[in-house]
Every structure is written in C-alpha cells, then in structure tokens.
Amino acid sequence: MNRLDWNSLDGAGQRAALARPAQSRADSLRSGVEQIIARVRADGDDALRELSARFDRCTLEAIEVTEEEFRAAEATLAPALKAAIDEAAARIEAFHRAAAPMPVTLDTATGVRVERVLRPVGRVGLYVPAGSAPLPSTALMLGVPARIAGCREVVLCSPARADGGCDEAVLYAARSNGVHKVFKLGGAQAIAAMAYGTASVPKCDKLFGPGNAWVTEAKLQVSADPDGAAIDMPAGPSEVLVIADAAANPAFVAADLLSQAEHGPDSQVILLSPSATMLDAVEAEVLRQCAALPRAEIAEQALAQSRLIAVASLAQAVEVSNRYAPEHLILQVNEARELLDGIESAGSVFLGAWTPESVGDYCSGSNHVLPTYGYARSYSGVSVASYQKQITVQEVSPDGLRAIGPCTATLAAAEQLEAHRRAVTLRLAALEDAA
Amino acid sequence: MNRLDWNSLDGAGQRAALARPAQSRADSLRSGVEQIIARVRADGDDALRELSARFDRCTLEAIEVTEEEFRAAEATLAPALKAAIDEAAARIEAFHRAAAPMPVTLDTATGVRVERVLRPVGRVGLYVPAGSAPLPSTALMLGVPARIAGCREVVLCSPARADGGCDEAVLYAARSNGVHKVFKLGGAQAIAAMAYGTASVPKCDKLFGPGNAWVTEAKLQVSADPDGAAIDMPAGPSEVLVIADAAANPAFVAADLLSQAEHGPDSQVILLSPSATMLDAVEAEVLRQCAALPRAEIAEQALAQSRLIAVASLAQAVEVSNRYAPEHLILQVNEARELLDGIESAGSVFLGAWTPESVGDYCSGSNHVLPTYGYARSYSGVSVASYQKQITVQEVSPDGLRAIGPCTATLAAAEQLEAHRRAVTLRLAALEDAA
C-alpha cells in the first residue's frame, strides 16, 4: 500500500495521489465495440449466438430465459437466500418509494397553472454483470426502481454460465421484482441488442447497470447515437474513500478497504487520516485480514495501487475527498454526521463505525449503482427518477393569458421572433373582440 | 405543407411521416469539432480568439464581459424589456422552486437511517446561442435553476456580435440571475473552453443549453470524455406537434405552427387532426399568416417539410404523438386535460386554446430547454434537479446492524464476496464481545 503525506506533496503530487487509472478508451477498445455493435445490428440473434460462443464460451439454444427456467430457479434456490433477496427488495423498495419524485402543480399567476407530471420510460434494459460471480443484488438495484416507476417493459441481460444456464438467484431477484424478460447475454453484444433490438431482444429506450470496459464503451457508443438508447451514467472501476480519525477501529477500516479491493484488480482504495498511528494500524490489519480471503490475489493487486494518505485534519480530509469525488465514502470518525454538510461530491456516504459499505451494497435500502471515476461531481446514483421522464404541462385561461401575454410578447419581440409574439397577440385580440 | 392520411399509410409510410431530418453526425462535422476541441485544449485563449475571428467574424479583446459592460447593459436596456425579464424570472423561479427535489430521510429498519441529500453541481457552464437573434430567455431558463440549486460558480458563454459586444438583454438576464461570469464565445469552441478550461474560462463540471449542430456535437464529444464535462441532454432542431379537434380555432393553430417554423429551416412542424376541414382551414391560415412574417422565408422552408396528418380519432392522435415524442405538444381540443393521462412522451405540454407555446418559451414558469429529436422518450427538460447531485447517506446503529447484518452477509456469500461478508460479521462479533 502506498503511504503519502498530503501536505508534503506539490500540486502534481496531489493530482497523482488522487489519479484514477487511465480509462482505456483506447482505439482498439473503441473499434472492437463498434464492430460488435455493427454485427448485432446486421445479424441480430445470429450475431448474439456467435459472439456469446466466442466471448462467454457458451452455446445458446434459446437466448431468452424460459418460464420453465424461472420456475426451476425459484424451486432450486436455498430458502435463506430467497428470504434475504425478499428482505433486501423490501427495504430497497421502501427507500426508493420515499425518494421518488412527486407530481407538482403551481399557479404561477391567476389563470396560469403549471404542472410537472411523471411518466415511466417505456422500455428499459438492465445489465447485470457476472464477471467473477453472479450478482443478484444488482438485479434488485436495477429492477426495483423500474417496477416502482411502472416501466411498460423491463428487460434484463446477464451472461450465461458456461453450461448455458443463468444464475438462479439472479433469475429469482429479477422475476420477483417485475422484470418481464431475461436474456442470457453479456458484454457489448448485450448492450447492442438492447439498444437496437433483435428478433428476440426488444429495443429499449434506456439502459442501466454497471459493467466492464467493453460494456461501458458500448453504453457510451449507443448513447451518442440518436437511434440507440439513453444510459444511466458512464462508469469506471468501483472505488472507496475512507476517512478515519484516531478513535476508529482499524479492523473495521481494514475490512471496508478490503471489501472494495476484492472487487477487482482495478478497484480504487483510499484512506485519509490525520493520525499516523491509525494509518499504521490499518495497514497492518489489511495485510492480516487479506491473507485469509479467498480473493486475496485480486485484493492484493488492488491494494498495490491503494493510497493511505496522512492529512492535517478532518476538515482537510473532507476537502481532499470532495476533490476525488468517491463512489463510496465511509466516515469512520466520532460524530460522523458533523462532516456530512461539508461533503460536496460522493455517490453514497456511510456514517460511523457500524455502517460498513456492504450494507449499502445489499440491503440498507439505498442503491448501489453509483457514479464512479469522478462522475460523482456531476452525476447521481440510480433512483426511481432515472426511470422516469418529468413532463411539464401548462394550462392558461383567458384571464391567465391577459396576465402573462404582454410579458411574453415583449420578450418575443426582443428576440425578433414575431410569430411567437403574434401567437399571443392574435389570441389577446380575439379575447377583446369577444368582450 | 404535406398532407397525409395516417390510416392509409403502411408501416414504412408511417415511419417516414414521423421521421426527423437525419442528424448530420457526419464524419466531417465530427472531425471538424474534434479539431476545434484539440485546438482549444492546446492553445487556450489564443485558440478562442482565433476561432472567434474565423467563425463569429469578431475580434475579441477581452474574452470575459467586464463589470463596466454589465453596468452599461443594465443602463441601456429598455425599461419595459427589463421589467419583462424580471417578471419572467420570477415565475420561472416560483415553478422551479416548487418542483425542486427535497431531502429525504427514512428509517428502513430500526437503527437503519437512509437519507438522500442534495448538493449543487459545483461549476456549471451555460450556453446561450445567438444564431439569428440574442436569446435572453435562454439565459433565464439556464440561469434561474442554477441559482436555485446554489451552484458555486455559474459561467455563461454566448457569441459576441460582430462589433465585439454582447447583447444587453442577455447580460442583464444573466447578471440579475446569479451568473458569475459571461464570456463572448460561441460554437464548439465555447463548449470546449467550458469543458476543459483555459486561462480565462473556468473548467466546468456540467454544461447546459441548446445550440446548432456544432455545439451539439461538441457537447456529445466532451461528455464522452472522463476529462470533459457532463451535459444536460443531447439536442436536435426544435419541434412542435399540435393535436387539434374540429372545434379548434384554425388561426390559433396556424399561429402556433408558425411560431415553431420561424425558428429555422430545420424546425419540425406536425399537425394531427381527425377533421379534414380543420386541416384545410389551418393550411389556409398558415399561408395567410406566414406572408406577413419578417421571417417568412425561414418559416416557408420549415413548412415545406411540415406534415398535416389526418387521423381517425383523438385517441389515435395521442398514439401517434407518443410515437413521435415531441419536444412541444399543443392540445387544441375541447377538454384537453382529458388527453393528458394518455401522453407518455413529450418535453412540455400546452393545454387548450389559450395556451400558446410562446408562454412556455418565455414566462409561464416552465423551462424551455427540452428534449428534442425523440429524446423525450427517455430524457426530461432542464430543472433544478439537473443542477444537483442526489447523494444517499446511511447511518446504522449497533441494533441496526444486528437487524440487517445477517441479510447482508447472506447476499455477500451468494455473490462470493467474502470481504463484504466479513465487514459485517467482524462488526457483529465485536458487538457480541462487548455484550
């Protein structure tokens, strides 16, 4: 792990300390994804079968999961896991419902009613990766808000196992939360299929979910094409920043850093503390705990890039965190809540010793699909609003037009938009004639 | 104007009837914009001066508008126009405040508090085009919600006039609504400057506003670059779809169609009606009113591409409208509100005879920066939320962890994320030890 002292770094050193790995939007990735998308658009399901054989090493008979497979998945699933999925879904639903946008009505002048109404995005496509293991929790995080929003059709793609099957927990989580169709597809080809449609896969209006560099590049490409699909957000590798004071429990801090590090070799792990003793203790704990992990090798690669940074104060830690804009921010400090007002950019925040990131990953109720790679400066995590359009509506009465018509006409004249002006004055004249 | 009968068209004919002009994301546009962005990144302000001379035919001394220019603008501005700007800003502010997201707090289990807090995007860049005339209303639509959100720095770019000055109404609308800095920049170079920063122009986190094909392409390019900036939405030419029944006033309908057509030759104008008499009457009115417009030539070009479509019923009109997903939807029908529930995709809706689109363009209170080109299927117009990040927060007590820890551990185990599991079990063990 890399030990750094923030205040002895110069500007370039501070930038380097917070640098993320260069996103390999390399030409080879870009053109590789372009080719996959072009193939799927040209050859549809045939292309999907061939690309799945090549990339996922599986032979797909039917691309779509059948009713029988859904039933078998539910029957096979361990009852404890089924109960955990249901329990998590209930809390995710409760919070997402509470945070969902509401319709708004306001009379901005007498006779001028302005409203905001909400409509679901019609058809949405969810992507659930399965790089090293299936992720039923991601099916929940994407499926539950789609169900609350009331999307007409919810489609989910997740890579098949080598035996051609789909993970039972993913199927159960999807089906019990309103996902209508599941397809055994992964990678850029899954994104292409949902963005453009094939004989089997319906064309979707908006795509959601995390993924590797190929999936991310495919999402960027289809979102730049008016004939493609909108996306939830761009994405990079997962990341955590922990701020710990001298009173933190080093074993807890280490456990949180490791639960990020085990995601993948490119996971970003940063610890900030004003206490050098704490940095020492956490480093020792990380090494001790890491040795016992089944994914120790992956975690070690991520830890080799991790940074333990000494700062002057908690206030400075918050400053540095805002500059980094972490996906996950854990505040293992006394009175964690006091730091919250100062937090400007983060995907999700975890307050205090008893709030490990894992609770947010699974079942506190918040969403785990969050902006990474500094996108927390301008993007938010997935929520019900991500699955809705907000449409404004206005209804003006004759009195209302008398009230706001002159203002409209003056501004239209200033902008030399005479037809805009006349659309008002012609109506006002009609009202006078009628009076 | 093109007259069509929806029900006598085959599938291809119906698609053609609702087709938008092909977006010229031509290779030449793409590479032209790439070159401009590269130049601005390499040569900063020097590039901005050179590109402004080339594209806007103006010689810029200072790129930034000075305090003196702001004061002169306010002093010069016609009092009636100033009052109209203030009046419009007040209603825009009232509606945008009413529709702004609110913080949320929910206990999803005893001892598990989940929250959503709101934070402004730190530095935002607003683009106000001035293709054929200055647009103070766009400065309002972009500036007011930025002010409500509380963005730390609000930057605005608008092309200079040939004399090197900036429109007084734009300057007044910007300054009186919290815009901190205005730069005399237009086109792709303005977008590049705000996305990457120069010596004069601060680097912004997110960019907003309409623009021509160059501006739109530049926004797409910088939003696909992690070192660039997020954007509000992609954009195409402005468009209106009117649904009129047999009782509508053809003069009003014609005026609304013309106020769209005068925007530019590529403006999209569609009328749907179950009444052939109404289509005839509107066509005659459009020709009559158009002749009297100063921008008749522009409007005629747009009208040449416009479509007057006979439909079987108002229900079918709504169906067709949803398929088109118009930026502006005007319902000039009896009981317009009864159609509203059926509207799935539109940027902004105008109900009834006394609600011309112009009121929404200027001062009803709703925003006029709206999704075009079918993006209303998945995007919403600009609102306060566009200028905010929604951050989730969770705080779990020891009792809370006892309540949701086991669910977390079960799901983590299913996903083979052992460190995620241990971050919980290690804490639960510590609680037991302490008990």
Side-chain angles (χ1 to χ4, degrees):
Chain A
M1 304 178 85
N2 303 296
R3 287 285 289 269
L4 301 164
D5 175 22
W6 185 256
N7 294 296
S8 62
L9 295 170
D10 60 8
Q14 292 181 343
R15 271 194 299 282
L18 299 185
R20 283 148 168 117
Q23 282 282 57
S24 53
R25 226 199 154 193
D27 287 346
S28 62
L29 177 68
R30 199 183 293 218
S31 67
V33 168
E34 276 171 5
Q35 283 165 27
I36 290 174
I37 292 175
R39 281 238 40 210
V40 172
R41 293 186 74 173
D43 300 328
D45 289 346
D46 288 346
L48 294 177
R49 284 200 180 82
E50 194 195 301
L51 293 163
S52 297
R54 197 193 321 165
F55 293 117
D56 300 328
R57 290 185 198 77
C58 76
T59 309
L60 294 178
E61 314 250 319
I63 296 172
E64 186 174 355
V65 173
T66 62
E67 278 309 311
E68 196 172 294
E69 287 175 286
F70 279 117
R71 274 195 300 272
E74 186 169 351
T76 324
L77 201 62
L81 182 50
K82 203 166 141 180
I85 289 172
D86 292 344
E87 184 188 329
R91 272 194 297 277
I92 295 166
E93 174 161 358
F95 179 70
H96 282 69
R97 277 199 193 280
M102 296 294 288
V104 172
T105 300
L106 183 77
D107 287 353
T108 57
T110 307
V112 180
R113 177 148 295 181
V114 187
E115 298 167 66
R116 177 188 64 192
V117 300
L118 303 162
R119 295 290 184 268
V121 176
R123 200 182 274 131
V124 296
L126 319 181
Y127 185 75
V128 175
S132 43
L135 299 173
S137 62
T138 302
L140 292 180
M141 296 296 173
L142 299 177
V144 170
R147 179 159 56 84
I148 296 171
C151 299
R152 191 173 65 244
E153 187 162 33
V154 184
V155 168
L156 184 150
C157 283
S158 195
R161 292 183 302 231
D163 70 1
C166 235
D167 179 67
E168 288 75 19
V170 169
L171 291 186
Y172 175 73
R175 179 45 70 98
S176 59
N177 286 287
V179 172
H180 300 98
K181 293 180 173 189
V182 175
F183 296 92
K184 299 172 182 174
L185 295 170
Q189 60 271 27
I191 300 302
M194 294 192 284
Y196 296 101
T198 70
S200 299
V201 184
K203 174 174 172 45
C204 298
D205 299 306
K206 189 170 181 179
L207 309 184
F208 295 80
N212 62 18
W214 289 73
V215 168
T216 299
E217 174 64 25
K219 283 174 69 186
L220 282 177
Q221 288 189 16
V222 304
S223 72
D225 177 4
D227 295 327
I231 62 170
D232 51 354
M233 65 186 100
S238 191
E239 61 202 21
V240 73
L241 186 147
V242 181
I243 298 177
D245 63 11
N249 182 326
F252 295 1
V253 175
D256 291 347
L257 297 179
L258 283 165
S259 68
Q260 191 59 50
E262 74 171 341
H263 270 301
D266 55 0
S267 278
Q268 301 292 296
V269 172
I270 296 181
L271 172 63
L272 306 178
S273 180
S275 157
T277 321
M278 179 56 53
L279 294 175
D280 290 339
V282 171
E283 186 163 11
E285 265 293 331
V286 165
L287 298 176
R288 199 182 64 73
Q289 292 184 26
C290 184
L293 288 177
R295 293 202 192 203
E297 208 178 310
I298 290 172
E300 277 160 15
Q301 290 176 62
L303 292 171
Q305 304 302 320
S306 69
R307 283 142 280 179
L308 309 185
I309 307 178
V311 289
S313 62
L314 290 179
Q316 185 174 53
V318 168
E319 232 175 75
V320 174
S321 174
N322 284 336
R323 191 162 148 185
Y324 182 73
E327 179 191 15
H328 303 101
L329 170 60
I330 304 182
L331 301 179
Q332 292 219 28
V333 301
N334 256 328
E335 310 299 339
R337 189 163 282 278
E338 285 178 8
L339 298 190
L340 186 56
D341 277 351
I343 302 302
E344 292 169 5
S345 293
S348 198
V349 182
F350 301 79
L351 299 183
W354 307 104
T355 316
E357 190 207 298
S358 348
V359 299
D361 289 337
Y362 291 113
C363 68
S364 65
S366 66
N367 208 288
H368 80 201
V369 180
L370 298 166
T372 57
Y373 207 76
Y375 286 113
R377 282 182 210 106
S378 48
Y379 288 84
S380 309
V382 161
S383 69
V384 174
S386 315
Y387 295 82
Q388 292 176 321
K389 290 112 47 173
Q390 309 195 345
I391 302 179
T392 49
V393 180
Q394 40 256 298
E395 185 170 22
V396 179
S397 71
D399 276 349
L401 194 63
R402 286 187 195 100
I404 71 171
C407 175
T408 305
T410 302
L411 288 166
E415 296 188 354
Q416 299 166 35
L417 292 170
E418 178 63 12
H420 283 63
R421 197 183 67 81
R422 291 190 191 186
V424 170
T425 53
L426 177 137
R427 283 170 166 93
L428 288 176
L431 285 173
E432 274 195 33
D433 288 348
Chain B
M1 303 178 85
N2 304 296
R3 286 286 288 268
L4 301 164
D5 175 22
W6 185 256
N7 294 295
S8 61
L9 295 170
D10 61 8
Q14 292 181 344
R15 270 192 299 282
L18 300 185
R20 284 151 167 114
Q23 282 282 57
S24 53
R25 226 200 154 192
D27 287 347
S28 62
L29 176 67
R30 199 184 292 218
S31 67
V33 168
E34 275 172 4
Q35 283 165 27
I36 291 173
I37 292 175
R39 281 238 39 210
V40 172
R41 294 187 73 173
D43 300 328
D45 289 345
D46 288 345
L48 295 176
R49 285 200 180 81
E50 195 195 301
L51 293 163
S52 297
R54 198 194 319 164
F55 293 117
D56 300 328
R57 291 185 198 77
C58 76
T59 308
L60 294 178
E61 313 250 319
I63 296 172
E64 186 174 356
V65 172
T66 62
E67 277 310 311
E68 196 172 295
E69 287 174 285
F70 279 118
R71 273 194 301 271
E74 186 169 352
T76 324
L77 203 62
L81 181 50
K82 203 167 141 181
I85 290 172
D86 292 344
E87 183 187 330
R91 272 195 297 276
I92 295 165
E93 174 161 359
F95 179 71
H96 282 68
R97 276 198 193 279
M102 296 294 288
V104 172
T105 300
L106 183 76
D107 288 352
T108 57
T110 307
V112 180
R113 176 148 296 181
V114 188
E115 297 166 67
R116 177 187 66 191
V117 299
L118 303 161
R119 296 289 184 268
V121 176
R123 200 182 273 130
V124 296
L126 318 181
Y127 186 75
V128 175
S132 43
L135 299 174
S137 62
T138 302
L140 292 181
M141 295 295 174
L142 299 176
V144 170
R147 178 160 56 84
I148 295 172
C151 299
R152 192 174 62 243
E153 188 163 32
V154 183
V155 167
L156 185 151
C157 284
S158 195
R161 293 183 303 232
D163 71 1
C166 236
D167 178 68
E168 288 76 17
V170 168
L171 291 185
Y172 175 72
R175 179 45 70 98
S176 60
N177 286 285
V179 173
H180 300 99
K181 293 179 172 189
V182 175
F183 296 92
K184 298 171 182 175
L185 295 170
Q189 60 271 27
I191 300 301
M194 293 193 285
Y196 297 101
T198 70
S200 299
V201 184
K203 174 173 172 46
C204 298
D205 300 307
K206 189 170 181 180
L207 308 185
F208 297 79
N212 63 18
W214 289 73
V215 167
T216 298
E217 174 63 26
K219 283 174 69 184
L220 282 178
Q221 288 189 16
V222 304
S223 72
D225 177 4
D227 295 327
I231 62 170
D232 51 354
M233 66 186 101
S238 191
E239 60 202 21
V240 74
L241 186 148
V242 181
I243 298 177
D245 63 11
N249 182 328
F252 295 0
V253 175
D256 292 347
L257 296 179
L258 283 165
S259 67
Q260 191 60 49
E262 74 172 340
H263 270 300
D266 56 357
S267 277
Q268 300 293 296
V269 171
I270 296 181
L271 172 64
L272 306 178
S273 180
S275 158
T277 324
M278 179 55 54
L279 293 176
D280 290 339
V282 171
E283 186 163 10
E285 264 293 332
V286 165
L287 298 176
R288 199 183 63 75
Q289 291 184 25
C290 184
L293 288 176
R295 293 201 192 203
E297 210 179 308
I298 290 172
E300 277 161 15
Q301 291 177 62
L303 291 171
Q305 303 302 321
S306 69
R307 284 142 278 179
L308 309 185
I309 307 177
V311 289
S313 62
L314 290 179
Q316 185 174 55
V318 168
E319 232 173 75
V320 173
S321 175
N322 284 336
R323 191 162 148 184
Y324 182 71
E327 179 192 13
H328 303 101
L329 171 60
I330 304 183
L331 302 179
Q332 292 219 29
V333 301
N334 255 328
E335 310 299 341
R337 188 163 283 278
E338 285 177 9
L339 297 190
L340 186 56
D341 277 351
I343 302 303
E344 292 169 6
S345 293
S348 198
V349 183
F350 300 79
L351 299 183
W354 307 105
T355 317
E357 190 206 298
S358 349
V359 298
D361 289 337
Y362 291 113
C363 68
S364 66
S366 66
N367 209 288
H368 80 201
V369 180
L370 298 167
T372 58
Y373 208 77
Y375 285 113
R377 283 182 210 104
S378 48
Y379 287 84
S380 310
V382 161
S383 69
V384 174
S386 315
Y387 294 81
Q388 290 176 321
K389 291 111 47 173
Q390 309 193 346
I391 302 178
T392 49
V393 180
Q394 39 256 295
E395 184 170 24
V396 179
S397 71
D399 276 349
L401 194 63
R402 285 188 195 99
I404 71 170
C407 176
T408 305
T410 301
L411 288 166
E415 296 188 353
Q416 298 167 35
L417 292 171
E418 179 61 14
H420 283 63
R421 197 183 67 80
R422 292 190 190 185
V424 171
T425 55
L426 177 136
R427 283 169 165 95
L428 288 176
L431 285 174
E432 276 196 32
D433 290 348

